[in-house]
Amino acid sequence: MTRHEQNRTPAEPAGVDATMDDLVAAGSDMLLLDQQLCFSLNAASRAFGSIYRTALKDLGLTYPQYLVMLLLWEHGELPVKQLGERLRLDSGTLSPLLKRLEATGMVTRERSVQDERSVIVSLTEAGRDLREPARAVPRHIGAAAGLPLSDLRTLRELLTRLTANLDAAGA
Amino acid sequence: MTRHEQNRTPAEPAGVDATMDDLVAAGSDMLLLDQQLCFSLNAASRAFGSIYRTALKDLGLTYPQYLVMLLLWEHGELPVKQLGERLRLDSGTLSPLLKRLEATGMVTRERSVQDERSVIVSLTEAGRDLREPARAVPRHIGAAAGLPLSDLRTLRELLTRLTANLDAAGA
DNA sequence: CCCAATTCAATTGTGCACAACTAAATAGGC
DNA sequence: GCCTATTTAGTTGTGCACAATTGAATTGGG
């Protein structure tokens, strides 16, 4: 019962006042819920990755590589920094990943002329050509998810808020 | 960004009847939502892992190791098979992980007498002793999540359903 | 202008996730 | 009982995640 102050979290969401819930949260309910949540979040993320992996196999992309390609298909080219911010990944992960994407001929990397610290990642012709066949992928995933659009929207919303709060608290 | 939507606000609140949505789902909305969902699910899972990692640092556990310990604290001992089913992990991941937990003196592994194929993972005294200090961890995470209990429950429910559907579709 | 602080990418080392495979034990059909 | 199919862990190889560190380029204060 050592929690009185923690409901003033950095990003208290608007909407329902949570005082009643937070009282209960002091009990064992919270422990169990948190435990179930880390199981389910972990498992769901990896299940999502699995289904993408099979769908992406023919394209020769891994799931994280696909996420990079999604951003490049949208923006054409992006500095590593931008990719990292949007994907919540650091250069320790992105550098070797981009190296592999470069090795398979999907992207090029070159130092920015304006700022020699920055590296600009651009699509190659082959990378651009992959966009069309890749359009079939999300359709396949949407079907496999088996949830109504409203639930998927709720999920996206809650996950986004959760990430923002956790990162704010961790920073 | 090819924004050509006419009447659709990006973040429509849940609860609306989804039939209309499902019709639109055949269009580009679904592609975008799916894309946002794989970003947010991926990022949230890793943000969750990050916050746990810092909280677990003093206990000398990694996040996946902690998930194993949660199950062992509840059940005392479990065969590798059971751990794998509950965590959605195969022996390729669990074997080295359990080896490390054994090396740090948290668990023991021994072949079952009834079925020599099976390996039973049990808590050591040191492993059991870790349970008390570990109770502080979820409290810390609950605070950092910054979402009301009702939202966390919704999240758990949707993620569990999503995983079940995806695994069923992928099997 | 100068230099300390910051930014950005890359590298190193550890651990996890997963596919593909191996090896041993068990179960089940005949 | 025998033999094949299945079950269960473990091993190997690849790729991702992340902390810690390095090195180069830039920024900003004096």
Side-chain angles (χ1 to χ4, degrees):
Chain A
M1 276 283 200
T2 55
R3 49 174 296 189
H4 299 86
E5 301 292 312
Q6 78 178 31
N7 45 11
R8 276 298 82 151
T9 44
E12 177 99 45
V16 183
D17 189 80
T19 51
M20 211 45 200
D21 280 343
D22 280 347
L23 287 181
V24 180
S28 62
D29 255 23
M30 187 61 188
L31 300 184
L32 187 56
L33 177 55
D34 193 274
Q35 175 173 337
Q36 292 168 339
L37 197 53
C38 61
F39 283 173
S40 58
L41 182 50
N42 210 28
S45 174
R46 300 201 331 277
F48 219 65
S50 286
I51 208 84
Y52 265 104
R53 191 170 304 116
T54 61
L56 291 169
K57 198 173 180 183
D58 293 343
L59 299 180
L61 291 176
T62 67
Y63 181 40
Q65 287 169 8
Y66 169 74
L67 297 182
V68 168
M69 293 298 283
L70 281 178
L71 289 175
L72 291 177
W73 285 327
E74 185 180 355
H75 297 99
E77 62 179 38
L78 281 173
V80 173
K81 179 83 188 329
Q82 287 291 313
L83 288 172
E85 281 175 6
R86 291 169 197 263
L87 295 174
R88 202 194 170 279
L89 290 172
D90 63 9
S91 68
T93 299
L94 283 175
S95 283
L97 188 155
L98 293 170
K99 210 170 175 180
R100 283 185 285 270
L101 275 181
E102 190 178 36
T104 56
M106 297 294 107
V107 307
T108 59
R109 291 185 296 165
E110 41 188 329
R111 293 269 163 196
S112 166
V113 187
Q114 292 81 9
D115 186 343
E116 290 275 341
R117 291 171 301 181
S118 181
V119 168
I120 311 294
V121 182
S122 310
L123 285 171
T124 62
E125 193 61 29
R128 251 184 302 276
D129 290 347
L130 215 59
R131 185 176 195 177
E132 271 311 315
R135 288 192 197 281
V137 172
R139 230 176 291 278
H140 178 233
I141 272 72
L147 293 179
L149 263 186
S150 57
D151 280 351
L152 295 181
R153 275 194 247 274
T154 303
L155 205 45
R156 175 195 56 186
E157 177 64 18
L158 290 177
L159 291 170
T160 302
R161 294 225 309 271
L162 180 62
T163 303
N165 291 348
L166 289 175
D167 282 342
Chain B
M1 158 144 20
T2 59
R3 297 174 58 90
H4 58 281
E5 77 275 350
Q6 311 90 332
N7 49 5
R8 181 155 301 281
T9 46
E12 181 145 358
V16 182
D17 186 272
T19 49
M20 230 15 218
D21 283 342
D22 283 345
L23 287 180
V24 180
S28 63
D29 251 25
M30 188 61 190
L31 300 185
L32 187 56
L33 177 57
D34 192 275
Q35 175 173 337
Q36 292 168 339
L37 198 53
C38 60
F39 284 173
S40 58
L41 182 50
N42 211 27
S45 175
R46 299 198 335 274
F48 220 64
S50 285
I51 207 85
Y52 264 104
R53 192 170 301 115
T54 61
L56 291 170
K57 198 173 182 183
D58 294 341
L59 299 179
L61 292 175
T62 66
Y63 181 41
Q65 288 169 7
Y66 170 73
L67 297 182
V68 169
M69 294 299 282
L70 280 177
L71 289 175
L72 292 177
W73 286 326
E74 184 178 358
H75 297 98
E77 61 179 40
L78 281 173
V80 174
K81 180 84 188 326
Q82 287 290 315
L83 287 173
E85 281 177 6
R86 292 170 197 262
L87 294 175
R88 202 193 171 280
L89 290 172
D90 62 10
S91 68
T93 299
L94 282 175
S95 284
L97 187 155
L98 293 170
K99 211 169 174 179
R100 283 184 286 269
L101 274 181
E102 192 178 34
T104 55
M106 297 295 107
V107 307
T108 60
R109 291 184 297 165
E110 40 189 330
R111 292 271 162 194
S112 165
V113 188
Q114 292 83 7
D115 186 342
E116 291 274 342
R117 290 170 301 182
S118 183
V119 167
I120 312 293
V121 182
S122 310
L123 285 172
T124 61
E125 193 60 30
R128 250 184 302 275
D129 290 347
L130 215 60
R131 186 176 194 178
E132 271 312 314
R135 287 191 199 282
V137 172
R139 230 177 290 279
H140 178 231
I141 272 71
L147 293 179
L149 266 185
S150 57
D151 280 351
L152 295 180
R153 274 193 248 276
T154 303
L155 205 44
R156 175 195 55 185
E157 176 64 18
L158 290 177
L159 290 170
T160 303
R161 295 224 310 271
L162 179 62
T163 303
N165 291 347
L166 289 175
D167 282 342

